Structure formats: C-alpha cells, structure tokens
Amino acid sequence: MITNGVEDEEKWLAAGIAGLQQNAFYMHRALDSNNLKDALKYSAQMLSELRTSKLSPHKYYELYMRAFDELRKLEIFFREETNRGCSIVELYELVQHAGNILPRLYLLCTVGSVYIKSKEAPAKDILKDLVEMCRSIQHPLRGLFLRSYLSQVSRDKLPDIGSEYEGDADTVMDAVEFVLQNFTEMNKLWVRMQHQGHAREKEKREKERSELRDLVGKNLHVLGQIEGIDLDLYKDMVLPRVLEQVVNCKDEIAQGYLMDCIIQVFPDEYHLQTLETLLGACPQFQPSVDIKTVLARLMERLSNYAALSAEVLPEFFQVEAFAKLNSAIGKVIEAQEDMPIAGVVTLYSSLLTFSLHVHPDRLDYVDQILGACVQKLSGKGKLKDNKATKQIVALLSAPLEKYKDIDTALKLSNYPRLMENLDDSTSKEMATVLVQNILKNKTCISTAEKVEALFELMKALIRDLDEGVDDELDEDDFQEEQNSVAQLIQMLHNDDPEEMLKIICAVKKHILTGGPKRLPFTVPPLIFNSLKFVRRLHSHDENVPEEESSAMPKKFFQILNQIIEALSIVPVPELALKLYLECAEAANDSDIEPVAYEFFTQAYILYEEEISDSKAQVTAIQLIIGTLQRMHIFGVENRDTLTHKATGYSAKLLKKPDQCRAVYACSHLFWVDDQDNIKDGERVLLCLKRALRIANAAQQMSNATRGSSGSVLLFIEILNKYLYFFEKGVSQINVASVQSLIELITTEMQSENTTADPAADAFFASTLRYIQFQKDKGGAVGEKFESINS
C-alpha cells in the first residue's frame, strides 16, 4: 500500500513537471516574440500545476523550484517590458485577471518585485498589498510556498534604513511590520498542517512539517538582517510580537524550533538586554517542548559572548543575568515535573558554564548550582541513567577545567554530595578526572584536611566499593589507574613535620581500605614520599640536639612500620622486605640505630617465614647484603648479629651457584672503604674461601650427575673478588692466593671434563687483560700487580 502511494506520487509529480515544462515552453516562445498576452496566459497555466494537493512537501518543493526558475525569467521579461514603455501600474493590474487565485498571486508577487524596483510607488504600500492578498490562500502547503516566494522576492527590497527603497521616518517599522505579518501567517499555516488528516498519520505529518520549518524560520532570519532594528525596537516590538506568536500557537514543534531561531539569528547583546522577556515565555510552552535544549543554547551563546571580551561583563552584572537564568531554570523544571534527570543536569551544566565565564570569582554560584542538582537528585539513590551520569561528570569536571586547581573543588560543599549520586563505575571515572587534573597542573595538596576531602572524593579509586566494577576492568587499565594514584601520593607535601605526619596518617587511613589488589600500588609511594621527607628533615636538623632531632622521624617510622605490616594481608613478602630495607636505610641516614635494627629484624623475619621461592630468596639476599653494606649506624654487636644472619642465609640457598654468589657477596660486609671500623680482612678471606669450596662442590656435583665438571664461571667471578680486595689493600688477600686461583682456573679450563663456555672464556680473558692493564700503569699499583703471572 505504501509502495503504491509512493509510485502514485511519483506519477503525479512527473505529470506536474510535464505540464509545467510544456506551458513553460510556450511561455518562452511568447517571451521571445514579446507577446505579453500569451506570456501571461501560459505562465498562469504553468503556475496552475502548483495548485495540486496530491504531493508531499518534499515532492511539492521539487515542483515549486522548477516554477521558481521560470518565474525569475518572467520577472526579467517584465522589467524589460517596463523599460520599453509598458506601464508597471497597468501590468500590476493586468496580472490580476488570471483565472485562478494561486497563479494570480504568484504573478502579482513577481510583478510587485518589479514595481518596487521601479520606485513608482512606495515599497511599503506594495508590500502591504501583497502580504494582505496572500491571505486568500489558506491551504497550508500551497500558502507556505506562496508566502515563501513573496519573502524571497522582497527580501532585498525592504524599506530598511540605508536601503534604496527607504521611505519616511517610520520606514523601518514598515519593513518590520511586513516581515512579522508574513511570519505570523506562515506560522499559522505551518501549525495548521498538524491538525489535518487522520490521527494515525501524526508521525508522518510531523516529519513533513519538519521538512518545511525552514520556510517559516527564514522570516526570522530576514528580521535579523534588517539594519534599522535597534535594541529599543527589538525590545518593544519585534521580540514581543514574535514571542506572542510562538506562545499562542501552542504547538511543540513550532515552539521549540522558533525559539531556537530567535536565539540564533538575533545579536547576543539583544538577548542579554531582553533576557527577562525571553525567559518569561519558556514556562508557557507546551510540556513536551524540549525547552532544556533551547535554554542550553541560549546560555551557550551568552557564555561565548562573555568570553569574547571582559568589557561586556558589566552588562551581565547590570541585568543580573545569572539570577534570571537560575530562576528560569527552576521554573521550567518545576513546570515539567516529568523532565528526565539528564535534562535537569544538562540545564544546570549549561548554567555552570555560563557562571564560570561570567562570574569566575563567584564560587558560591558554582556551589549553588551543584546544590540545586543535589536537591533534585535527593532520594533517587545511585543514578543508573547513562546519559545523566555523563552529564554529571561533565558538570563536576567544569570547575576543574576552569580553575585548574583541585583546591577550588574542595571548597565546594556540594561537590562531594553530588558525587555520592554516581554509581561506582562513574565515581571511578570522576575520581580519575580529579587525579589527572592534579597531575596535569602539578597541584600540591598541602594539608591533612584537604587530603582527607580529596581521598573521600577519590574513594572509588582507592577502595573496593563493588567487586563487579574491578572485575570488569582490564588489568592494564587497573594498573594505569593505580599508578595515577601512586603519582598523586608522591605529590603530597608540607614543610611542617606535624602537618606532614597528619597527611601521611590521613592517606594511610584511606589506602588501607583498598584491599589486597590495590595495596601493592599505593603503599610504596606513601613509604617513599615519607622517607624523602624524613631525609630532608634530618638534613635541616643537623644543629638540633640528638633527642629532639630523632623524635619526629621516630613518629614517621612508627607509622611506616604499621603501613608495611598491612601488606601481610596481600601477601607480597618480597615487596614488604624491600620496603623494610628502604626504611632501615632511611633510619641509618637519620642516625637512629634502634629503628634501623628493628626494620632489619622485620626484614629477616619476613625472609625466614614468608619467602620460600628459591629465586625470590636469591633476590632478597642480594637486597639484604647490599643494604647492610651501606649501613654505618650499627654498633659492633648489632652489626655482627645482622652480618652473621646474612651469611647464614647465603649458605643455605638451594642451588650451589646461588650459594656461592651470595657468600662471596657477603665479603663486602666485612670491608667498607669509608668506614675504618669495618675492615676485617680475615673474615673477607673466610667468605671468599667458603665461596671457593661451594664452587668446587658445585663442579663435583655436576661431574657426578652429568659426567662433566661444568663451567668455571664461578671461579672466575671469585677471582674478580680476590682482585678487588687485593687492589683495596686487604693484607690477607696476597699474590700467592690470587696466583693459585688463576692457575686453578687455567687448569680447569684445559681439562677435558670441563664444559666449553664461550662466555666464561671471554670473562677470564677480560680479567687477565685487566691484570695486565694494572701492571702497565706503573707506580705502586703496577708494582703490586707485577708479581702476578697472567
């Protein structure tokens, strides 16, 4: 049925075009022979094709445009006729003898255009005559296109100020009256279309009307281009008349579209000065009108106008624009009780943008807007509407983007209250926006109160709110989120130790609620930020008595110990051990021996009780030895205890090569260059000899299990340790011990049982070159190495 209707319409259009073209052909022939009578006859017959009621607006427009092209040629002919002496007045009367009203009016408008151009009569009289006679066509579609044609041919002939058709003192009023009258009649015709036909065709009619809306809107564009319309005329006549028509038509399509036209075509300063009138019309519109979009566009235009220059801002203050817009939004929301939450938030988001442009210094306005949203959302629980949540994120992000300072957001009492209405997923998104803003602008959060408020806003990033949210998150995205939080924690700082301690405690309280998945990301940055502060504190307190200088760092270390202990729930013993050692080293730098010893003790306990993987043990031993070697604070008894434990752990590693390397690394614990009290050559030699025995045992095991003695790489590594301590002047490491080890390695490498190892060969060759290099140096060093035969 629909297909048949479309096919029929195509046939009717084809027939209309054929009839139009046929009559246009005869009209052209008459024009060429200067036969006015036949030209009028065939042009009237051609225009009769526009009398059809069978075409949709889209198809009718196609037919109309063909007729329009022909009418332009006819207008040129009429102009030439008047130049040849034909009276334009007689021609104006002659065309009124056309048999049908529609062709007659098209011809009348065409001749009227020439009549105005001839200036034989005032433009205002001709325009008034034409606009009145067009009332004869009351068919909506035909009437709309006829009046559109009238608007088209007259738009450059209005009696405007500065125009060649300018009349007396009231010339602008005449032009405005003409356009307003044409607009009013066209709007009535356009609205009337909605009430024709069956109710079941409502959607079709609305679609057709949407296709025709530009015909009506062009009148407002013409009004906007009239130079003579100043602010007073606009305020007293133009806007009231237009709004009267918009309100009285009681049509949702017309009201929404025409308000948008008003906002777009007239100057921003006019909107500002007539804000009360414009906003006063909004509550009178039909409930189904999308007024939020209209108001949003109005506020967007005013915001852009305010952003152009600071010079216009006093105008905004004078008319109290914010108060009027805020009041209007409240009335619209109140009038449209069923307005979706997304629409409400959109309105307040536009108002916030306006406020940030016009009143950037008025934080109370920002908080007032957020408070209005909170009030509207109260009692509705967590928002599930995706569109609404996106709007709230945009609303909450606006102050951050404007002020580039999180401090501003923290001053807004309604900011956290509005965030509470977001679901966990959106809360996390908003928290990420907050963090990124801080990182981008390098904002320093310097008080515990601000940290407390900030972390409360960020709780979706640092707490397990809903298991499902994190489960859905990609692991890379989760790590990126937590790394951002870690960066933020590193930026927290205050020079006052008491306040900094409060900041650390505040962060600790929040991150310890983060659960096992987050703690490995959030604990380390807090530890390192605290240690950085403690070291800085020590450097500033060098002249302070020891008891006073250590009191504050001890408080920090107590907190840090508690934080690291919390990692036991994860568990990540390797990370906890690293952090204990970092704290021990910081306590060493602060000259607090008991604290440093306690952290080492905790690290050893972790190693013994929690770290069972052999690879993790090797890494842990290397960290322990490296940290212990750098410690200078320990007395003899404490150092011996810790050193003895470290060497014991080294000898108990599972794999012989790991044992060997850990044991020879322990030799560094007994000889530290910059500490005269830690130079024990006997124990250095003891460690190295023990390492040799373990390396030898490793070779024997390899020989027993594989039939070959394996690589000599361990021996070469031990030789390098011998050379290191020999060069440092450890008397127990003499030429004979170095020489015997070189010979042992050479013999082993030449043995048939030894597995070929190019890396070991290269390493040994490099070691021998180093010995030769030292010999070639000459002096005391060269003399020392001269006795070694390489």
Side-chain angles (χ1 to χ4, degrees):
M1 226 173 129
I2 293 173
T3 306
N4 290 339
V6 173
E7 289 176 357
D8 288 345
E9 195 175 1
E10 291 289 348
K11 289 177 184 177
W12 294 328
L13 175 61
I17 291 173
L20 189 147
Q21 288 176 333
Q22 182 181 6
N23 284 295
F25 171 77
Y26 290 117
M27 183 187 79
H28 289 159
R29 196 160 65 176
L31 296 179
D32 292 340
S33 60
N34 294 326
N35 188 335
L36 179 60
K37 184 178 178 182
D38 284 353
L40 292 176
K41 172 186 170 185
Y42 290 115
S43 62
Q45 290 177 6
M46 173 189 76
L47 292 166
S48 292
E49 298 296 338
L50 294 175
R51 295 170 63 210
T52 180
S53 302
K54 297 179 179 179
L55 299 179
S56 66
H58 184 72
K59 299 297 182 185
Y60 190 89
Y61 174 75
E62 197 175 328
L63 186 64
Y64 165 81
M65 286 309 297
R66 290 176 182 270
F68 180 81
D69 291 340
E70 299 301 334
L71 285 170
R72 303 309 288 173
K73 297 169 188 172
L74 188 62
E75 183 181 349
I76 295 170
F77 172 74
F78 289 154
R79 198 176 303 130
E80 290 172 350
E81 279 293 294
T82 58
N83 292 337
R84 284 194 287 265
C86 180
S87 169
I88 187 65
V89 178
E90 291 179 3
L91 190 57
Y92 190 68
E93 291 178 358
L94 186 61
V95 294
Q96 295 185 44
H97 295 292
N100 290 307
I101 184 68
L102 187 65
R104 184 192 313 158
L105 291 173
Y106 272 106
L107 289 173
L108 197 61
C109 291
T110 307
V111 175
S113 172
V114 179
Y115 195 179
I116 295 171
K117 209 166 183 64
S118 71
K119 300 178 185 174
E120 292 186 23
K124 67 172 184 177
D125 294 340
I126 300 168
L127 291 173
K128 185 177 181 182
D129 193 34
L130 291 174
V131 79
E132 288 290 344
M133 283 196 280
C134 284
R135 286 178 184 268
S136 307
I137 304 298
Q138 289 298 308
H139 184 278
L141 188 61
R142 295 198 289 267
L144 274 173
F145 277 95
L146 172 63
R147 287 186 174 274
S148 176
Y149 179 69
L150 172 60
S151 177
Q152 187 72 22
V153 297
S154 64
R155 64 185 306 165
D156 59 343
K157 302 175 183 68
L158 296 176
D160 190 10
I161 289 177
S163 163
E164 60 179 299
Y165 308 105
E166 184 178 356
D168 54 24
D170 293 329
T171 184
V172 176
M173 297 288 286
D174 297 327
V176 170
E177 186 61 43
F178 166 75
V179 178
L180 282 175
Q181 194 172 344
N182 200 44
F183 161 71
T184 302
E185 294 301 324
M186 287 185 77
N187 189 49
K188 288 177 180 177
L189 293 169
W190 185 45
V191 170
R192 195 182 303 157
M193 288 182 70
Q194 187 68 33
H195 308 291
Q196 293 183 333
H198 296 288
R200 64 174 177 268
E201 295 178 342
K202 181 184 177 185
E203 287 187 14
K204 178 187 173 186
R205 286 198 302 274
E206 287 179 351
K207 183 184 176 186
E208 289 176 347
R209 287 189 62 210
S210 294
E211 293 171 354
L212 293 170
R213 63 184 188 174
D214 285 348
L215 297 180
V216 184
K218 279 178 184 176
N219 288 283
L220 297 180
H221 283 272
V222 172
L223 268 178
Q225 292 168 356
I226 296 177
E227 293 290 336
I229 297 182
D230 57 14
L231 178 58
D232 289 335
L233 182 58
Y234 176 76
K235 186 190 296 186
D236 297 337
M237 177 182 176
V238 176
L239 184 62
R241 288 273 298 275
V242 173
L243 285 180
E244 180 186 14
Q245 180 58 36
V246 174
V247 171
N248 290 343
C249 72
K250 300 189 184 303
D251 179 81
E252 60 178 287
I253 297 176
Q255 288 177 337
Y257 171 69
L258 294 176
M259 279 298 286
D260 191 45
C261 283
I262 292 169
I263 292 166
Q264 298 301 328
V265 303
F266 293 109
D268 297 323
E269 56 266 34
Y270 287 14
H271 294 324
L272 189 59
Q273 296 300 329
T274 58
L275 201 52
E276 197 164 352
T277 305
L278 201 56
L279 296 174
C282 294
Q284 301 176 55
F285 294 160
Q286 298 299 102
S288 52
V289 174
D290 185 14
I291 196 64
K292 67 179 184 299
T293 303
V294 173
L295 287 176
R297 283 181 181 160
L298 174 61
M299 287 185 278
E300 183 184 359
R301 280 208 63 169
L302 292 176
S303 298
N304 294 336
Y305 178 52
L308 286 176
S309 171
E311 295 176 3
V312 302
L313 292 180
E315 296 178 31
F316 285 85
F317 306 152
Q318 185 182 359
V319 300
E320 298 179 342
F322 176 82
K324 288 175 181 175
L325 287 167
N326 192 23
S327 173
I329 288 171
K331 288 177 182 175
V332 167
I333 292 171
E334 188 179 340
Q336 299 187 11
E337 294 178 359
D338 57 345
M339 182 184 289
I341 292 298
V344 173
V345 181
T346 299
L347 281 173
Y348 282 118
S349 185
S350 299
L351 182 61
L352 180 62
T353 303
F354 172 83
S355 176
L356 292 173
H357 276 105
V358 179
H359 303 283
D361 57 328
R362 294 295 300 267
L363 278 182
D364 56 322
Y365 284 174
V366 178
D367 209 29
Q368 186 179 336
I369 294 166
L370 298 180
C373 281
V374 170
Q375 189 175 357
K376 188 65 181 176
L377 295 171
S378 63
K380 298 190 184 305
K382 301 285 186 184
L383 283 178
K384 302 297 182 185
D385 181 356
N386 192 40
K387 191 174 179 182
T389 53
K390 282 183 178 178
Q391 287 293 338
I392 290 182
V393 169
L395 184 72
L396 292 168
S397 302
L400 301 177
E401 292 168 6
K402 175 66 178 178
Y403 298 111
K404 303 186 187 327
D405 182 6
I406 192 66
D407 277 358
T408 306
L410 298 178
K411 291 175 186 173
L412 302 169
S413 61
N414 287 304
Y415 203 93
R417 292 174 62 199
L418 186 56
M419 278 192 71
E420 287 172 7
N421 290 281
L422 299 174
D423 59 26
D424 292 342
S425 177
T426 314
S427 292
K428 181 175 285 190
E429 181 186 343
M430 191 60 229
T432 304
V433 171
L434 289 169
V435 173
Q436 293 302 327
N437 180 271
I438 294 170
L439 298 180
K440 181 181 176 182
N441 297 301
K442 297 182 173 58
T443 308
C444 179
I445 312 299
S446 56
T447 69
E449 185 182 359
K450 289 179 181 177
V451 169
E452 188 73 42
L454 173 62
F455 274 67
E456 192 59 38
L457 293 177
M458 288 168 45
K459 62 186 176 185
L461 277 181
I462 55 180
R463 295 183 198 167
D464 287 325
L465 298 179
D466 183 347
E467 292 180 9
V469 175
D470 284 341
D471 292 343
E472 293 170 10
L473 197 63
D474 179 74
E475 190 62 32
D476 290 340
D477 292 340
F478 177 78
Q479 289 185 15
E480 188 177 343
E481 275 182 3
Q482 297 308 305
N483 287 335
S484 296
V485 175
Q487 284 180 269
L488 170 66
I489 292 172
Q490 290 278 24
M491 293 175 68
L492 306 176
H493 176 73
N494 192 303
D495 288 328
D496 177 44
E498 292 287 351
E499 191 62 33
M500 187 64 183
L501 189 64
K502 290 178 183 177
I503 289 174
I504 300 300
C505 291
V507 177
K508 171 199 161 193
K509 183 183 81 173
H510 284 278
I511 66 171
L512 292 188
T513 63
K517 197 173 179 183
R518 289 180 174 80
L519 285 177
F521 292 94
T522 52
V523 166
L526 181 58
I527 299 291
F528 282 103
N529 192 14
S530 304
L531 295 180
K532 181 171 66 176
F533 183 82
V534 168
R535 285 190 170 97
R536 191 183 296 120
L537 193 63
H538 178 70
S539 66
H540 290 165
D541 292 346
E542 288 181 352
N543 299 323
V544 179
E546 185 178 342
E547 286 188 12
E548 291 182 27
S549 65
S550 64
M552 184 55 69
K554 281 180 180 177
K555 291 181 181 178
F556 276 88
F557 287 126
Q558 287 168 6
I559 298 296
L560 297 183
N561 191 36
Q562 295 169 15
I563 295 170
I564 299 172
E565 282 178 358
L567 285 174
S568 61
I569 66 168
V570 178
V572 279
E574 297 91 345
L575 175 59
L577 183 137
K578 289 177 186 176
L579 295 175
Y580 276 132
L581 294 177
E582 289 286 349
C583 290
E585 195 167 354
N588 175 77
D589 295 340
S590 300
D591 298 327
I592 311 175
E593 182 182 4
V595 174
Y597 188 82
E598 177 60 27
F599 279 122
F600 254 100
T601 304
Q602 293 299 327
Y604 282 175
I605 292 170
L606 268 180
Y607 179 83
E608 292 176 1
E609 297 180 358
E610 301 291 340
I611 301 177
S612 56
D613 179 72
S614 59
K615 286 184 179 179
Q617 285 181 337
V618 171
T619 305
I621 283 295
Q622 297 292 348
L623 285 169
I624 288 170
I625 294 170
T627 306
L628 186 55
Q629 192 265 345
R630 294 191 294 274
M631 305 294 281
H632 63 75
I633 191 68
F634 292 133
V636 175
E637 186 179 342
N638 283 344
R639 187 173 185 87
D640 281 350
T641 303
L642 295 174
T643 304
H644 178 72
K645 276 284 187 184
T647 51
Y649 294 149
S650 301
K652 292 177 183 176
L653 290 172
L654 179 64
K655 297 177 182 177
K656 289 295 181 185
D658 292 337
Q659 277 184 30
C660 178
R661 291 185 173 102
V663 168
Y664 73 58
C666 285
S667 63
H668 289 280
L669 297 176
F670 305 106
W671 193 279
V672 181
D673 282 344
D674 56 356
Q675 296 186 51
D676 293 335
N677 62 326
I678 309 178
K679 284 187 170 59
D680 188 343
E682 289 290 344
R683 295 179 77 174
V684 169
L685 182 60
L686 191 63
C687 282
L688 296 179
K689 282 184 175 180
R690 192 173 185 182
L692 274 173
R693 285 198 301 273
I694 296 170
N696 191 48
Q699 274 210 326
Q700 290 175 6
M701 286 175 64
S702 178
N703 197 31
T705 55
R706 298 187 181 86
S708 63
S709 57
S711 174
V712 294
L713 187 61
L714 287 173
F715 291 109
I716 300 170
E717 290 175 7
I718 296 168
L719 171 61
N720 275 268
K721 290 296 174 186
Y722 267 86
L723 289 172
Y724 172 82
F725 288 112
F726 177 69
E727 192 175 341
K728 292 293 182 183
V730 179
S731 58
Q732 287 77 4
I733 309 295
N734 52 35
V735 172
S737 58
V738 174
Q739 189 67 55
S740 65
L741 186 51
I742 291 173
E743 290 171 2
L744 172 65
I745 294 169
T746 305
T747 304
E748 287 292 334
M749 290 177 77
Q750 292 172 354
S751 170
E752 294 179 0
N753 289 336
T754 302
T755 306
D757 185 351
D761 295 343
F763 190 10
F764 185 55
S766 177
T767 305
L768 295 180
R769 281 198 303 274
Y770 176 75
I771 295 172
Q772 187 59 48
F773 173 73
Q774 295 295 80
K775 287 181 183 180
D776 296 342
K777 271 186 176 179
V781 176
E783 186 179 338
K784 192 172 189 176
F785 277 83
E786 190 62 42
S787 304
I788 301 174
N789 295 322
S790 56

